[in-house]
Amino acid sequence: MTGIPASFSPIQLHNRLNRPVWIGLKMARRGKRQLVMLSAGEESAARLSKNFETFVGQIVREFKLDPEQTDFVELRQESSDSRESGAEAHNWYRWHAHWVGSAPVECKAEPVTSDGARSYLETILTRNTAAA
């Protein structure tokens, strides 16, 4: 569970190999839309790029979310030795998926590059509300 931001709640899920792993989860609502923020921290077994379909399927079922009204973003933290001085310590990725019921298919992530979107996500990240 190391490396998960303090404002995230740790949640245990099962990866694609059905092994239990911990990831960080934070949820926020804006109107009818639900925002789910995820972070694997330093847990290599929880890599979201390989396990996204498995993880979000579990999250959608557990929290009874409407996938069509839910946005998923990932916070990827860089290790301190790979950062240049003054560079941000993390990057945001928005995940897209086609849904068949509560099962995501054809998942892909793209970096969040808009200054407005990044600012909004940083605001949600630093909020002191409960994550889950």
Side-chain angles (χ1 to χ4, degrees):
M1 289 193 318
T2 61
I4 294 175
S7 62
F8 282 58
S9 292
I11 182 173
Q12 188 177 51
L13 300 173
H14 287 85
N15 67 12
R16 62 194 171 100
L17 302 174
N18 203 31
R19 293 189 179 133
V21 294
W22 290 94
I23 65 166
L25 174 80
K26 183 165 186 161
M27 298 171 65
R29 183 169 289 283
R30 185 175 188 183
K32 291 184 176 185
R33 304 231 23 112
Q34 182 77 36
L35 173 66
V36 176
M37 301 170 88
L38 305 168
S39 177
E42 297 170 8
E43 173 107 29
S44 61
R47 285 197 31 206
L48 291 174
S49 58
K50 290 187 175 186
N51 293 292
F52 179 79
E53 292 178 13
T54 305
F55 290 159
V56 299
Q58 292 171 65
I59 291 167
V60 163
R61 288 185 295 276
E62 175 71 23
F63 294 99
K64 297 177 179 41
L65 300 174
D66 177 359
E68 298 298 325
Q69 294 294 322
T70 305
D71 297 307
F72 294 92
V73 293
E74 175 189 359
L75 174 66
R76 290 185 192 168
Q77 297 180 293
E78 297 177 8
S79 62
S80 57
D81 57 330
S82 68
R83 270 189 277 143
E84 296 177 20
S85 61
E88 287 189 284
H90 57 264
N91 292 303
W92 294 101
Y93 291 85
R94 184 174 191 282
W95 281 89
H96 302 275
H98 295 286
W99 291 88
V100 178
S102 63
V105 293
E106 298 178 23
C107 302
K108 63 181 179 178
E110 64 183 27
V112 175
T113 56
S114 159
D115 289 337
R118 291 179 62 80
S119 176
Y120 173 72
L121 292 171
E122 294 293 334
T123 300
I124 299 298
L125 177 65
T126 58
R127 237 186 241 169
N128 288 330
T129 56

